[in-house]
Amino acid sequence: MTVTPVKPQRPTTTLFFSACVATLGTWYTAGYFNCALNVPQAYVISWIRHVECRRHENHENHTENYILWCGPLTEYEESLVLRDNVKLNTIWSIINSIVAAGLIVSAFSFSCFMKRFGLKGTIYIASASHLTGSLLAALISAVEVYELLIVGRLLCGFAEGLTGMGAVMYVSEITPVKLRGAFGTIPMVMLVLGFLTANALGLPMLLGTKERWPILLALQSIPVIIMCICLPFCPDSPRQLFLMKGDKIGAEKTLIWLRKNADVQDELAAMQRELEMQNKGEIGPPVPLFGIFKDQYLRYIFGICAVPMAVKQFSGYVCVMYYSTSIFRKAGLDHLYSAYASLAMWLVYLTFSLISMSLVDRLGRRVMLLLSHSGMMVGMSLFTVFMVLSGQYAVDWAKYACIGSIFLWMAFYTTGSSSVSWFLPSEMFPQEARTAAMTWISVLSSGCSVMTSFLFPLLVLVLEEYTFLLFVAVIAMGTVCIISTLPETKGMTIDQIQILLRQRFKQ
């Protein structure tokens, strides 16, 4: 297919400002609160055990249950406390996986919020939910009720779902075609900056202590407040203004402000063609939530987009995000060096996120995903081998090889899978189906996240080091599907992508 040449396009300060503001209180905050409990995990688990102990001490003194929760632990017994205390392991799994449950709830309500309040209004509502969840999480040490932490993270997960989808759509719709791939990685860059901040502040010499870890949770509200202050200075999406509200003058003013250039007629013409197609019935009204699965063509696109997202979530990423410190401890590092290894891992993530920004529009989405998946399979396979050598055969150098292989896996994960799987649906679905499609992609992502984050601690008890081979198998199967189904959309406008997809669908 011939791709129409497009004029040179460059990033502007206004475009960069709008994209960063939209992702600061959404993706950056999501990265922060998802990783906030990673480094101080041992102190949080000890605190939960203390809360349960106080509930048992008045009426179960010296019983087996009382000893389980209140008995003193040696350093070795403390490292195995999740294995020996099934209820404690379950509580910890729920605390981590409840975020994804909130994401699922928000996914089904996203389209309703979008229709009623628009993109920016939805982000404001989600911010209120996040601030409430942050307040509950900050109060847990004062009231000694760990259930507040679960409710708080549920509310934060709900907010993450609303704002995450909204921010991705917003960035995609304000960005010109030639920059869409690079700017599509901004949410992931913000996410890893949140990871880095949480891990750095969670170090033992800062807030990762027995007394100060609740402060780490309270700080997650700061970027949300900053975003709410700056968001009024960002314009509405020009596509939303033109296609949904019919405000052509407003769309033109917004494009001129974003591009810092009055020559925006090509973009307006593309929107006008899409509007005319919609008026002629070639593009229908907004697709309802379940309409994605009733239309054969939309099901076809959903299948293409679902595979990269499923691979992303079942690649081991969720487990590394929540449990990296404990994984490194299991590999043989002490608590402090495990925290340093986690921090270095997120630095690798940040570095390769920035590298991928320059590569995705040059190499293309398909090539980036295949490259990413191949590297992830190698990295996770090596990690399994070195974990076996370190654990079962007590090979001392293998623990450092474990760190290196996780870094290798993270580098390739970041190169393609982390970002392409998110902005691919916003490119491939037509305008009228985009909201419903992003909803279902988010549901898929969250459902996979719930499964992996909840089941991982339980599977490790059974499969131990070989748990990670399950991720390798999923990546391999997903790669085969991508080779056979995913077309390359590099450099194409949204209407050109639709023509290509319809041609492939008819074949």
Side-chain angles (χ1 to χ4, degrees):
M1 175 181 173
T2 303
V3 180
T4 305
V6 291
K7 297 177 181 178
Q9 294 164 328
R10 59 182 179 81
T12 62
T13 53
T14 49
L15 177 62
F16 190 71
F17 171 78
S18 299
C20 288
V21 167
T23 52
L24 175 65
T26 56
W27 287 80
Y28 175 87
T29 306
Y32 183 95
F33 84 79
N34 272 302
C35 263
L37 299 179
N38 188 343
V39 176
Q41 172 182 329
Y43 299 118
V44 181
I45 291 172
S46 177
W47 174 80
I48 296 170
R49 190 168 178 267
H50 167 73
V51 172
E52 278 290 331
C53 173
R54 295 197 57 167
R55 295 177 181 179
H56 286 84
E57 64 183 357
N58 293 329
H59 50 85
E60 292 186 14
N61 285 352
H62 308 300
T63 64
E64 183 178 346
N65 210 25
Y66 173 82
I67 296 172
L68 180 67
W69 292 103
C70 304
L73 299 175
T74 64
E75 185 177 349
Y76 176 73
E77 289 172 333
E78 192 172 343
S79 67
L80 301 175
V81 68
L82 290 179
R83 187 196 69 180
D84 299 334
N85 191 328
V86 176
K87 182 179 178 180
L88 181 60
N89 197 351
T90 304
I91 292 170
W92 182 240
S93 298
I94 291 173
I95 287 172
N96 284 311
S97 61
I98 199 67
V99 174
L103 284 166
I104 294 175
V105 174
S106 68
F108 285 108
S109 56
F110 176 66
S111 57
C112 297
F113 281 102
M114 274 287 296
K115 290 176 184 177
R116 186 170 179 82
F117 303 104
L119 272 172
K120 290 172 70 175
T122 300
I123 291 175
Y124 278 123
I125 292 170
S127 298
S129 174
H130 193 284
L131 291 173
T132 304
S134 300
L135 178 63
L136 291 178
L139 292 174
I140 56 174
S141 62
V143 297
E144 293 198 341
V145 178
Y146 62 77
E147 289 84 358
L148 277 183
L149 180 58
I150 295 174
V151 175
R153 287 176 67 81
L154 177 65
L155 290 173
C156 289
F158 176 78
E160 179 187 346
L162 287 182
T163 56
M165 288 184 288
V168 169
M169 287 182 63
Y170 180 76
V171 172
S172 175
E173 293 183 0
I174 66 173
T175 307
V177 174
K178 292 290 286 184
L179 301 175
R180 199 188 305 133
F183 271 72
T185 62
I186 287 180
M188 286 300 150
V189 172
M190 283 293 190
L191 187 75
V192 73
L193 285 174
F195 291 155
L196 275 170
T197 306
N199 273 266
L201 293 178
L203 291 173
M205 66 284 298
L206 296 175
L207 299 178
T209 66
K210 185 177 182 180
E211 298 79 18
R212 294 194 293 266
W213 66 264
I215 301 173
L216 194 63
L217 303 183
L219 294 179
Q220 67 192 27
S221 60
I222 293 176
V224 179
I225 295 171
I226 294 173
M227 180 191 68
C228 290
I229 294 171
C230 295
L231 198 57
F233 299 99
C234 300
D236 289 325
S237 160
R239 290 183 61 81
Q240 295 281 326
L241 290 172
F242 196 106
L243 298 174
M244 299 300 182
K245 297 181 179 180
D247 185 2
K248 299 180 183 180
I249 296 176
E252 183 177 6
K253 290 180 178 178
T254 296
L255 284 172
I256 292 173
W257 187 83
L258 288 168
R259 308 291 181 258
K260 285 187 172 295
N261 190 333
D263 185 13
V264 295
Q265 296 309 310
D266 287 349
E267 292 185 79
L268 290 171
M271 294 182 203
Q272 182 63 40
R273 287 195 299 270
E274 192 169 338
L275 183 62
E276 290 172 358
M277 292 173 66
Q278 184 174 322
N279 292 336
K280 291 178 182 177
E282 298 177 25
I283 298 179
V287 175
L289 197 58
F290 290 94
I292 293 289
F293 302 106
K294 294 178 182 179
D295 185 284
Q296 193 173 0
Y297 172 63
L298 295 180
R299 284 203 309 271
Y300 165 73
I301 301 176
F302 183 81
I304 293 175
C305 296
V307 172
M309 180 57 72
V311 172
K312 173 187 182 300
Q313 296 301 88
F314 281 127
S315 66
Y317 159 71
V318 176
C319 304
V320 170
M321 177 175 65
Y322 287 133
Y323 305 110
S324 63
T325 302
S326 60
I327 289 172
F328 287 132
R329 291 198 71 177
K330 187 173 177 59
L333 300 179
D334 62 23
H335 177 70
L336 181 59
Y337 283 100
S338 296
Y340 285 144
S342 292
L343 185 60
M345 180 185 70
W346 297 122
L347 283 171
V348 171
Y349 194 144
L350 177 61
T351 301
F352 281 87
S353 292
L354 296 173
I355 292 173
S356 70
M357 289 179 71
S358 63
L359 293 178
V360 68
D361 283 318
R362 297 180 184 180
L363 299 181
R365 285 69 164 147
R366 189 172 186 268
V367 173
M368 292 288 281
L369 279 175
L370 294 177
L371 178 67
S372 176
H373 290 180
S374 301
M376 285 195 293
M377 284 189 285
V378 172
M380 195 59 78
S381 299
L382 290 174
F383 179 72
T384 304
V385 171
F386 293 131
M387 281 287 284
V388 171
L389 291 175
S390 175
Q392 297 182 15
Y393 297 96
V395 178
D396 188 60
W397 59 264
K399 61 185 178 183
Y400 302 108
C402 285
I403 298 172
S405 57
I406 279 289
F407 286 4
L408 175 67
W409 172 89
M410 181 61 80
F412 279 99
Y413 167 81
T414 310
T415 302
S417 185
S418 67
S419 57
V420 174
S421 57
W422 270 113
F423 69 76
L424 199 63
S426 65
E427 286 189 343
M428 301 191 75
F429 277 93
Q431 177 72 31
E432 71 274 13
R434 197 165 296 148
T435 300
M438 290 299 291
T439 297
W440 283 112
I441 289 295
S442 181
V443 169
L444 174 67
S445 172
S446 304
C448 296
S449 181
V450 168
M451 290 177 62
T452 51
S453 59
F454 182 78
L455 293 177
F456 178 73
L458 307 177
L459 286 173
V460 167
L461 298 180
V462 179
L463 300 177
E464 296 184 340
E465 296 88 350
Y466 300 102
T467 306
F468 300 94
L469 291 179
L470 297 176
F471 303 138
V472 177
V474 172
I475 298 170
M477 290 187 290
T479 303
V480 172
C481 292
I482 288 172
I483 291 173
S484 60
T485 61
L486 181 66
E488 183 53 71
T489 59
K490 178 181 67 173
M492 295 184 182
T493 62
I494 291 176
D495 53 340
Q496 289 170 341
I497 293 172
Q498 287 306 302
I499 293 172
L500 173 64
L501 289 173
R502 288 190 181 277
Q503 288 175 346
R504 291 173 63 95
F505 173 68
K506 291 176 182 177
Q507 293 174 358

